[in-house]
Amino acid sequence: MVVYKRSKDLGTVVLSVNATGEALCVDFFQRGDNSYGFEEYRRDVETNEGWFPIGFHSGRRFETLDQAKSDAKGSVAWLESEMLKDCEGQIWPMKPSKWKQMARSG
């Protein structure tokens, strides 16, 4: 099984938003230089082969998380509607321990 390490290699993941169906997600991360970025990922839930970047947004740099979120909403078609589902638990701050659990589960 191939498990892509997602955004943890790019910095500390501070927020992750999953699309309905959990086959797509966007990770927001903070780099060592305190800039922020984001990346969109896809996984094939049937084969459980891990997460793969599909947006190629990780090179963009932002001074704040809010700036990264604003740009991501304009770049990822499904993101804004999913972010409105906050009350349903679709958005959560990601802690390193949670990331490790997700990495193990694929």
Side-chain angles (χ1 to χ4, degrees), residues 64-95:
T64 68
L65 178 58
D66 285 340
Q67 289 171 340
K69 288 196 279 187
S70 179
D71 191 72
K73 288 177 190 177
S75 300
V76 179
W78 57 267
L79 184 61
E80 186 164 18
S81 64
E82 290 298 323
M83 291 183 87
L84 294 174
K85 295 180 181 180
D86 185 344
C87 61
E88 296 177 21
Q90 295 292 319
I91 300 173
W92 40 273
M94 183 176 289
K95 297 179 180 162

Side-chain angles (χ1 to χ4, degrees), residues 1 16-18 27-28 36 41-42 49 62 67 71-72 81 88 100 102-103 105-106:
M1 172 188 349
S16 188
V17 181
N18 290 320
D27 285 349
F28 293 90
Y36 290 86
Y41 295 90
R42 179 190 179 281
E49 291 184 1
F62 306 93
Q67 289 171 340
D71 191 72
S81 64
E88 296 177 21
K100 289 176 185 173
M102 287 180 59
S105 67

